[in-house]
Amino acid sequence: MPAVVRFVIVTVVTLFVVLAPALAQPQVPAPTSAPGAVPDSAPPASPTGAAPTAPTVPSTAPTVTLTPKEIKQLVEQAIAEREEKAKQAEAEKKKAESQSQQKSRKVTGTWNNGLTFETEDKAFRFNVGGVTQFDMGWFNVDKNQKRSIGTLNNLVDPGRTLDDGMDFRRARLRMSGLAWEQLEFFAQYEFANGTDLRQRTLGIPNSAGIANPLTTNTDPAETVGFNEVYIGLTKLPVIGTVRVGRHRESLNFVTATADNNQVWMERGLMFDAFNGNYNFSNGITVSRTFLDDRAYALIGLFEQNSQSNRQFSTVGDGNYVYDARLTCLPVWNESEHRWVHLGVDYSYRNLNQDNVRVRARPDIRIGSGFQVPNLFDTGNIFSRDAQQIANLEFVTALGPWTMAAEGTVSTITNAYLGGLPVGNRLPTGVTSHGTYVATGGYVEVMRFLTPDHRGYVKDRPGYARVTPSRRFVFLEGDGGRWRFDTGAWEVGVRYDYVDLTNSGVNGGTGQGVTGAVNWYLTSNARIQFNYSWIHREFSPADNAGRQNGDLRAFGVRFNCDF
């Protein structure tokens, strides 16, 4: 207790104790008649005839006198006892809170599409997971078209491309969690990377010669790299969620959908041309949901990633990227699995070293690095201006049906091929192409053949994980009887399109159709079958690498994630 308060209390109590007896002394009334006078009337007789009761004479109790010092001691003792009781009560309260907190911080482990450890109050959470995707692919391409694609990619042996094979498309380990209810972290590492050693890509000769190029170190080398690694703060008033690190640039619906929840083996031509180089970048994003989670907004600031989505660092003055995404759910009926998603995306991208390359690869891919060739390629487009990308999203679901359509346009003003002008002069080999415009899009329709549906993720709008209503099982049960169930089955078809030929830049025009059969054994395992047809067209078909033609491919993916 503060000294001033204690002094005031002691002084007030002392004055009260000293003055109270004097204030409480009875006052003797003055006599109303002379001494010895006879009263006007005698006391009334008792109703029973008994003698009258004598008047009561007030008695005076003995007075206890305390000195100011004794009073002060008593007051201080009472105050000390009160403070001690308060301290004991506070200590007991803290002890009870500590015991309750220790109980609520007890960690329990559960399986929820992955291993999750969580405290009772849900303020702390830790997840361990990963994904393995093993692909097999077979290609049907005539020899002339194969050599054209190999020449476009500048291979030493142009005929050695789009070979049949098997590979690990993804092999990832992930750790994520939450601390103190708001601090989140996410770390996912990729083990299925390939580093292109560039000999066959750049056409560098080797001592073994073109006839036997595989005897030297010309294949991609396996490496480990970052996939998505960030930390963040969630549930911030007004702001929502802030994340910093290496994470997705969600420039369309198909990019925002997690890799584990994709319908197709690959996202398609439009994604590869306008988002494939920028799937993951280093930067910061701010996002939140509105209107009972039926609207979503995101803004992001990134460093241009030099067309590599595996870099630990990105360096370059002024190489900044500004992203924005706004989506809404005008229709949302969760009980009937019926919803409609609309969205718009925009990205303003300062060019790394004043150039960008727009290209697209097959819808079924086997291998890594140069083993997966570009089918369409603008080469390096130079400009001191920025690239701007805009995209529109439409996705809807009605019970077992799902349909989606997106369209993207990319523009680069003051575009050049071969380099940049020096002052007002164009060096030899440099040509001006004005404003370069590239476009792309896709339409897809899917339907479940079993009583299942495709869900939706509200806090990062995209497709959700498919959880079969009846998981696959084929076991011998009691009594030798077999137990069998189907899992979830889905069929789908997608048409995708990309046009990279504009303003004298002959990047090529592509159209593709992909059919899919997806078998979801459980919520963590699926097998995908894709058949793809792509048509390449160049205007003009002016060299060996730009020859019109078709390619077909069949792929199978075995996917397990946790």
Side-chain angles (χ1 to χ4, degrees), residues 61-340:
T63 302
V64 178
T65 303
L66 297 176
T67 66
K69 182 177 180 181
E70 293 172 331
I71 295 172
K72 181 178 179 182
Q73 290 176 346
L74 290 173
V75 171
E76 289 181 344
Q77 181 180 351
I79 292 173
E81 291 176 353
R82 182 176 180 179
E83 289 179 347
E84 183 63 26
K85 290 180 179 179
K87 289 180 180 179
Q88 292 177 357
E90 183 67 21
E92 292 176 358
K93 180 181 177 181
K94 289 183 178 180
K95 182 178 179 181
E97 289 178 350
S98 176
Q99 292 175 346
S100 175
Q101 189 178 64
Q102 289 177 1
K103 182 179 179 181
S104 66
R105 296 287 154 78
K106 182 180 179 181
V107 174
T108 57
T110 59
W111 178 267
N112 182 19
N113 294 317
L115 188 58
T116 300
F117 299 94
E118 194 173 46
T119 58
E120 183 179 335
D121 62 359
K122 300 187 183 303
F124 294 82
R125 184 180 68 248
F126 181 72
N127 307 91
V128 180
V131 59
T132 299
Q133 293 178 347
F134 184 76
D135 290 1
M136 299 186 293
W138 296 266
F139 296 90
N140 180 10
V141 190
D142 67 64
K143 291 183 178 180
N144 292 334
Q145 189 60 210
K146 250 195 175 187
R147 292 192 66 85
S148 174
I149 295 171
T151 301
L152 182 69
N153 289 268
N154 200 25
L155 299 184
V156 172
D157 182 358
R160 292 300 307 271
T161 186
L162 291 177
D163 293 336
D164 301 343
M166 305 179 185
D167 78 337
F168 283 94
R169 179 64 175 86
R170 294 178 176 92
R172 298 173 178 173
L173 289 179
R174 179 185 69 253
M175 295 174 289
S176 62
L178 186 72
W180 301 108
E181 193 176 352
Q182 283 190 284
L183 178 62
E184 66 171 355
F185 61 92
F186 187 97
Q188 183 164 258
Y189 302 93
E190 176 68 83
F191 292 83
N193 276 346
T195 297
D196 194 342
L197 299 182
R198 311 302 287 175
Q199 281 188 300
R200 290 173 67 185
T201 319
L202 297 177
I204 301 173
N206 58 77
S207 56
I210 295 176
N212 191 14
L214 299 182
T215 60
T216 58
N217 193 14
T218 59
D219 286 333
E222 292 77 12
T223 62
V224 177
F226 278 12
N227 176 251
E228 192 168 11
V229 180
Y230 63 80
I231 56 177
L233 286 173
T234 66
K235 301 179 182 178
L236 296 172
V238 181
I239 298 174
T241 298
V242 177
R243 288 174 175 158
V244 295
R246 182 172 195 80
H247 46 137
R248 290 182 185 273
E249 288 192 61
S250 299
L251 302 183
N252 46 52
F253 187 89
V254 72
T255 306
T257 297
D259 296 332
N260 293 343
N261 303 336
Q262 291 294 323
V263 180
W264 316 93
M265 290 178 65
E266 301 298 338
R267 287 180 168 93
L269 299 176
M270 183 198 82
F271 163 82
D272 216 40
F274 306 118
N275 203 183
N277 291 335
Y278 321 116
N279 195 6
F280 298 99
S281 299
N282 295 339
I284 177 172
T285 60
V286 179
S287 63
R288 65 162 297 176
T289 58
F290 304 85
L291 304 176
D292 195 24
D293 293 338
R294 292 182 62 170
Y296 169 88
L298 174 144
I299 57 174
L301 170 66
F302 294 91
E303 177 84 6
Q304 184 71 273
N305 66 7
S306 306
Q307 301 184 0
S308 168
N309 62 3
R310 294 290 186 267
Q311 286 185 313
F312 302 144
S313 63
T314 48
V315 179
D317 291 341
N319 292 341
Y320 294 114
V321 173
Y322 309 94
D323 292 346
R325 187 181 188 212
L326 181 64
T327 71
C328 66
L329 285 169
V331 177
W332 177 256
N333 189 324
E334 191 170 12
S335 61
E336 296 181 5
H337 313 304
R338 178 164 52 91
W339 48 268
V340 174

Side-chain angles (χ1 to χ4, degrees), residues 319-372:
N319 292 341
Y320 294 114
V321 173
Y322 309 94
D323 292 346
R325 187 181 188 212
L326 181 64
T327 71
C328 66
L329 285 169
V331 177
W332 177 256
N333 189 324
E334 191 170 12
S335 61
E336 296 181 5
H337 313 304
R338 178 164 52 91
W339 48 268
V340 174
H341 163 98
L342 300 175
V344 59
D345 315 277
Y346 176 76
S347 181
Y348 184 93
R349 318 185 67 83
N350 290 293
L351 303 184
N352 180 54
Q353 298 182 357
D354 293 330
N355 75 90
V356 66
R357 186 177 178 185
V358 185
R359 49 193 171 177
R361 297 168 294 174
D363 287 342
I364 293 174
R365 305 167 193 167
I366 298 297
S368 59
F370 60 79
Q371 293 174 339
V372 181

